[in-house]
Amino acid sequence: MGFADYPFTSRYLTVDGHRLHYIDEGQGPTLLFLHGNPTSSYLWRNVIKPLTAHYRCVALDMIGFGKSDKPDLDYRFLTHYHFLHEFVGALELSDITLVLHDWGGPLGFRLAQHQPERVSALCFMETFPFTFDWHEFPPAARPLFFAFRQRRLSYWLLQRQNLFVDVVLRFSTRRRLPRSVLAAYRAPFPDARSRYPIRVFPGELPINDRRTETWAAIQDIEQRLERMPQPMLLLQFHPGAVLSRTRVAWLSQRIPHLDVVDCGRGLHYVQEDNPEAIATALADWCRQRHTACLRWRRRTKPSAARCTGPSPGPVRPAATKAWWRPGPTGAW
């Protein structure tokens, strides 16, 4: 099975008259994978492949992305959340472990905070469940994203020239992406109109220079972090692009049940850089949680104890070593 292959069966669910594309592979505890901009469930393909033997892997194409419909919507954060909320309800998903990246992070954190009865755990990487300032942006990316947030420039750069796919995506991986992979990412966006959902997201980033509805929603997520009951796994990559060591330390101080695992080298689209490390760390963490839960049950009355979350699955590559030490600020 090749690096570019996407050997999954396409499924569709209709929400508000619009079709959402998703995959639903394997059997076992449910892992729900959420992507960001400008990707789709295709991003997770090489993470999902080794997990399907022991887990039910559900990966959604957000409205406007991948093989999902691209209706005339505003494509703002809360609109995406509405479709996610309806999708999870329609599939009657429960006891979910969320696996989150980029904009999938704020969406997943909001789901976990608003529907804790559905979400038992979270795994996240290269995402932002918090607001931030421009100085936290990688210096090389600041001028480009500043331009992406200007109305006229953003149309030319993102809809006419497709810079998010052809430049940002291509240069945000350590691995040189094969032509077949780049073609798969370009395929959902053949013309300027189809790229409007890509254009919206940079303007939605929760940077503190714009106190928008989206900024307020993500600030609310940030303020609720300390009260979240779910266990969480943060996968850290070096140098990364979003989560510096300073931010990892900040998250570790605020999230009460957080494990941090170092997954080696990676920039932003880390599923292309090191999918094996992600699958290994996730499966290993799920197995350790299940083992700890069983030990806890033996020390409590069966009627009072309830273990939730994924049961153990195999770790196919060598186990990733978990460690973390506070260090100097890295790339944002």
Side-chain angles (χ1 to χ4, degrees), residues 57-286:
C57 297
V58 180
L60 170 67
D61 288 358
M62 293 192 298
I63 190 72
F65 290 83
K67 297 179 181 180
S68 291
D69 284 351
K70 295 177 175 61
D72 185 14
L73 301 173
D74 62 16
Y75 291 103
R76 300 188 67 183
F77 173 73
L78 292 179
T79 297
H80 282 290
Y81 180 75
H82 166 73
F83 280 90
L84 172 62
H85 176 273
E86 295 300 310
F87 172 80
V88 170
L91 288 189
E92 298 181 343
L93 300 181
S94 62
D95 205 10
I96 306 166
T97 293
L98 295 173
V99 189
L100 312 173
H101 176 255
D102 196 80
W103 277 99
L107 290 166
F109 271 84
R110 183 176 174 89
L111 182 70
Q113 291 173 350
H114 287 252
Q115 293 194 289
E117 70 281 1
R118 289 193 184 274
V119 178
S120 62
L122 297 86
C123 169
F124 62 100
M125 64 212 79
E126 280 297 297
T127 187
F128 43 93
F130 47 77
T131 62
F132 51 88
D133 295 307
W134 274 111
H135 70 79
E136 296 181 76
F137 241 82
R142 288 177 202 165
L144 193 59
F145 274 80
F146 186 83
F148 288 167
R149 287 164 66 85
Q150 310 308 308
R151 185 170 62 88
R152 292 184 180 178
L153 276 175
S154 66
Y155 172 75
W156 177 258
L157 296 173
L158 297 176
Q159 290 189 249
R160 293 292 298 274
Q161 299 301 315
N162 203 19
L163 255 63
F164 219 105
V165 175
D166 287 342
V167 175
V168 176
L169 176 61
R170 285 184 63 194
F171 292 100
S172 296
T173 62
R174 289 180 56 83
R175 184 196 300 265
R176 183 183 178 88
L177 296 180
R179 291 181 181 179
S180 55
V181 171
L182 289 172
Y185 283 122
R186 291 188 183 111
F189 309 109
D191 53 36
R193 182 183 179 279
S194 66
R195 297 168 195 152
Y196 181 69
I198 295 177
R199 178 188 172 194
V200 172
F201 266 140
E204 292 284 279
L205 285 169
I207 303 173
N208 290 328
D209 63 347
R210 293 185 187 175
R211 305 299 175 96
T212 63
E213 179 184 58
T214 297
W215 181 91
I218 296 178
Q219 184 191 49
D220 181 64
I221 291 170
E222 176 182 329
Q223 292 172 343
R224 294 174 182 238
L225 290 176
E226 296 179 355
R227 303 192 300 273
M228 292 185 70
Q230 297 96 337
M232 301 189 206
L233 173 65
L234 190 164
L235 302 184
Q236 186 177 16
F237 293 82
H238 305 283
V242 173
L243 291 178
S244 67
R245 290 191 175 189
T246 300
R247 266 299 178 185
V248 172
W250 183 91
L251 289 164
S252 296
Q253 292 169 359
R254 284 162 177 79
I255 298 176
H257 310 292
L258 180 67
D259 294 319
V260 180
V261 171
D262 182 87
C263 285
R265 305 291 288 174
L267 290 178
H268 182 59
Y269 297 100
V270 292
Q271 300 84 350
E272 299 292 353
D273 285 327
N274 206 341
E276 299 87 356
I278 297 171
T280 297
L282 177 58
D284 191 40
W285 183 69
C286 290

Side-chain angles (χ1 to χ4, degrees), residues 25-28 48-57 312-314 316:
E25 301 282 331
Q27 295 182 344
I48 290 172
K49 289 170 189 175
L51 294 173
T52 55
H54 291 271
Y55 297 91
R56 178 188 180 189
C57 297
R316 308 226 171 180

